[in-house]
Amino acid sequence: MKNITKREIVAFVLGIIAVFVIDSIVNWDDSVKAFNNGYDSVRNKNVK
């Protein structure tokens, strides 16, 4: 059985971050709407 190396963990984490960044760029309008909805719900104390 092969051990998981630090290099593999770093590659995995960077991959997750890359997917998050690419998804945010591609769906920018949805990301902005979701951020604003979340911010407004906390600011107005209307957490659902």
Side-chain angles (χ1 to χ4, degrees):
M1 181 176 248
K2 183 182 173 189
N3 291 335
I4 297 174
T5 64
K6 182 179 176 182
R7 177 180 170 190
E8 292 169 340
I9 294 172
V10 169
F12 178 76
V13 171
L14 288 176
I16 296 293
I17 292 170
V19 168
F20 177 74
V21 168
I22 291 170
D23 183 57
S24 294
I25 291 171
V26 170
N27 298 321
W28 183 254
D29 292 333
D30 293 335
S31 297
V32 170
K33 286 178 187 175
F35 176 82
N36 287 334
N37 287 340
Y39 179 76
D40 289 339
S41 70
V42 173
R43 186 179 63 168
N44 297 329
K45 306 282 186 191
N46 294 329
V47 179
K48 295 179 181 178

